[in-house]
């Protein structure tokens, strides 16, 4: 993938170099020749290609996982009449990182924001200094797309649209502790398709809980009715420290997602939710990773070991030893496992234990873990 195109720029490739002046003004899928005579086909990178190939200072959430996260939020954005006041759809992403997930979230809500075509905009053909990255691939001449059709390399420059932040009906708030990471992610966002989704995002730097307190104060929200976020995504190692605060500003039926590299971090959130009695119901725990399409379901529940219950009621009988020692808190169901596949993690806090295993019954390794909670009224 090239850097931003400039009239006097060039990109070095395995098959020689290509002058940016040979790309500027071309349409997608046009053929150009390198300095060594190799045929190259030029096109705009997809969002997935852009996320994977842009320079990074932190590991991004890769496209397959970002797509799954966005689909679990079940966002249905559509334009609405002009209204005064805050956006009707607000999403918090805590842990901006590379900005990959930020772009996917912004794309999901983009349709809700008002876009006014500017009839006085310059030609959609490329001009010097406002070009996005382009892809170059080797190839042989073939039937080419006629110029001027939708999808041309230089269509939809940022100057072709007028945005008004005051008219946004949906917004992604993305926050990171590191100013450096936040500024890098902002440049990544602005570099995709002439900043197509840049106006859908607000970048913040700081602590998540402090940011929430500031928002509640600035918006004049009361202690009883202070919810303003439709969904929250926590992509940070200390997610469990901020769950209570996050739950307090999440709308009823909103989703709280936690993405962590370790299942024990998800377990920490499960315990916090249970101990504090937060109005969050665990919908699913998914393992993400290579060759796991759509995520692998894990069974993560709080249970009371039956042996503790027996001790409180009566002495243990010999024939009780064959019974399963775990009992579900919700419906008393027994968690059955095949021999050798039990992955329960017992953390005896207040007589509670954690059941933690793949639902299919065998051990898997690798990838991250995604916990999904739904805000309920108790």
């Amino acid at each position: 993938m090239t850097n931003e195109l400039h009239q006097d720029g060039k990109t070095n490739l395995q098959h020689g170099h290509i002058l940016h002046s040979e790309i500027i003004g071309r349409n997608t899928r046009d053929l150009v020749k390198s300095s060594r005579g190799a045929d190259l086909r030029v096109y705009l990178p997809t969002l997935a290609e852009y996320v994977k190939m842009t320079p990074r200072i932190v590991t991004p959430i890769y496209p397959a996982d970002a797509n799954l996260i966005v689909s679990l939020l079940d966002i249905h954005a559509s334009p609405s009449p002009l209204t005064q006041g805050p956006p009707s759809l607000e999403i918090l992403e805590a842990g901006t990182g590379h900005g990959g997930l930020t772009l996917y979230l912004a794309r999901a809500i983009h349709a809700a924001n008002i876009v006014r075509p500017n009839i006085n905009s310059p030609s959609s053909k490329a001009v010097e200094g406002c070009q996005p990255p382009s892809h170059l691939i080797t190839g042989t001449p073939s039937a080419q797309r006629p110029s001027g059709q939708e999808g041309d390399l230089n269509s939809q420059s940022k100057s072709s649209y007028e945005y008004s932040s005051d008219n946004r009906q949906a917004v992604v708030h993305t926050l990171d502790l590191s100013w450096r990471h936040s500024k890098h992610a902002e440049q990544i966002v602005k570099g995709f398709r002439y900043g197509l989704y840049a106006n859908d995002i607000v970048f913040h730097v700081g602590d998540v809980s402090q940011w929430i307190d500031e928002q509640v104060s600035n918006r004049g929200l009361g202690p009883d009715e202070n919810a303003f976020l439709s969904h929250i995504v926590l992509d940070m190692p200390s997610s469990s420290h901020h769950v209570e605060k996050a739950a307090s500003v999440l709308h009823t039926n909103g989703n709280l997602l936690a993405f962590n590299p370790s299942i024990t971090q998800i377990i920490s959130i499960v315990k916090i939710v249970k101990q504090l009695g937060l109005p969050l119901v665990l919908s699913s725990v998914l393992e993400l990773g290579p060759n796991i399409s759509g995520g692998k379901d894990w069974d993560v529940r709080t249970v009371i070991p039956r042996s503790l219950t027996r001790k409180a009621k009566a002495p243990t009988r010999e024939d009780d030893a064959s019974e399963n020692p775990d009992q579900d808190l919700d419906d008393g169901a027994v968690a059955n496992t095949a021999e050798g596949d039990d992955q329960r993690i017992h953390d005896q806090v207040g007589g509670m234990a954690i059941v933690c295993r793949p639902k299919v019954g065998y051990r898997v390794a690798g990838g991250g873990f995604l916990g999904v909670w739904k805000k309920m009224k108790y």
Side-chain angles (χ1 to χ4, degrees):
M1 189 169 67
T2 71
N3 294 323
E4 184 177 349
L5 300 180
H6 295 281
Q7 193 68 37
D8 58 351
K10 73 174 183 178
T11 295
N12 295 314
L13 305 165
Q14 181 181 0
H15 305 281
H17 67 264
I18 181 71
L19 299 176
H20 290 184
S21 58
E22 294 291 324
I23 302 174
I24 296 175
R26 298 276 187 170
N27 296 311
T28 53
R29 303 294 171 176
D30 277 359
L31 284 172
V32 296
K33 286 188 178 293
S34 72
S35 58
R36 296 182 183 177
D39 288 316
L40 303 171
R41 197 173 297 279
V42 60
Y43 60 95
L44 286 173
T46 65
L47 179 55
E49 291 168 335
Y50 183 80
V51 169
K52 289 187 293 185
M53 301 179 72
T54 42
R56 67 189 64 165
I57 57 177
V58 292
T59 302
I61 293 181
Y62 289 103
D65 296 338
N67 268 321
L68 178 59
I69 290 172
V70 172
S71 69
L72 289 170
L73 294 179
D74 196 33
I75 298 170
H76 301 278
S78 60
S80 59
L82 272 175
T83 58
Q84 298 298 322
S88 57
L89 174 61
E90 296 187 68
I91 300 174
L92 170 63
E93 178 198 19
T96 307
H98 179 68
L101 178 60
T102 313
L103 277 168
Y104 276 88
L105 291 170
R107 184 174 69 171
I109 69 166
H110 183 69
N113 291 325
I114 296 172
V115 180
R116 297 188 179 96
N118 181 359
I119 60 175
N120 297 318
S121 65
S123 169
S124 63
K125 287 296 181 182
V127 293
E128 181 178 359
C130 67
Q131 304 309 306
S134 296
H135 250 167
L136 294 170
I137 60 172
T138 58
T140 55
S142 59
Q144 299 183 30
R145 176 197 212 105
S147 63
Q149 294 188 6
E150 182 180 357
D152 285 353
L153 178 64
N154 306 308
S155 64
Q156 295 186 342
S157 66
K158 190 175 190 299
S159 58
S160 298
Y161 298 107
E162 289 182 352
Y163 292 113
S164 173
S165 298
D166 296 334
N167 294 333
R168 283 184 301 206
Q169 297 302 300
V171 64
V172 174
H173 297 283
T174 182
L175 182 145
D176 202 287
L177 278 172
S178 169
W179 179 88
R180 178 168 172 256
H181 292 171
S182 183
K183 294 303 293 183
H184 176 79
E186 187 173 359
Q187 293 305 311
I188 294 296
V189 168
K190 289 180 178 179
F192 183 71
R193 302 290 173 95
Y194 314 94
L196 177 61
Y197 302 128
N199 194 68
D200 303 309
I201 304 165
V202 180
F203 290 87
H204 308 272
V205 178
D207 177 80
V208 180
S209 294
Q210 290 180 4
W211 180 84
I212 290 175
D213 287 338
E214 291 171 1
Q215 290 294 311
V216 170
S217 175
N218 294 340
R219 294 166 186 251
L221 302 175
D224 298 326
E225 288 293 334
N226 59 355
F228 65 94
L229 293 172
S230 303
H231 305 290
I232 300 174
V233 180
L234 302 177
D235 177 21
M236 52 198 304
S238 58
S239 298
S240 60
H241 298 165
H242 305 283
V243 169
E244 182 179 12
K245 188 73 68 174
S248 68
V249 294
L250 184 63
H251 284 303
T252 300
N253 205 43
N255 292 291
L256 186 148
L257 277 69
F259 183 63
N260 295 117
S262 170
I263 188 64
T264 57
Q265 292 168 300
I266 301 296
I267 290 172
S268 296
I269 301 176
V270 172
K271 292 195 297 183
I272 289 293
V273 169
K274 191 67 180 180
Q275 291 167 2
L276 299 181
L278 301 180
L280 297 173
V281 175
L282 183 62
S283 300
S284 60
V285 174
L286 301 174
E287 181 185 10
L288 310 181
N291 304 319
I292 303 178
S293 178
K296 177 184 288 295
D297 273 321
W298 277 60
D299 184 12
V300 177
R301 293 173 290 121
T302 53
V303 300
I304 298 176
R306 187 173 293 172
S307 58
L308 296 181
T309 305
R310 292 198 196 97
K311 288 179 181 179
K313 292 182 178 180
T316 303
R317 301 192 312 269
E318 292 183 2
D319 57 355
D320 286 339
S322 62
E323 297 183 18
N324 192 293
D326 293 339
Q327 182 177 6
D328 198 313
L329 283 175
D330 297 327
D331 55 11
V334 174
N336 296 314
T337 59
E339 183 178 356
D341 67 8
D342 194 346
Q343 296 182 38
R344 286 167 293 178
I345 298 177
H346 292 279
D347 187 355
Q348 304 293 343
V349 179
M352 305 298 291
I354 295 292
V355 170
C356 170
R357 60 192 170 218
K359 282 191 173 181
V360 294
Y362 57 85
R363 187 182 301 271
V364 289
F369 293 87
L370 183 66
V372 184
W373 286 263
K374 183 78 73 173
K375 175 75 173 286
M376 296 294 184
K377 279 188 176 180
Y378 282 175

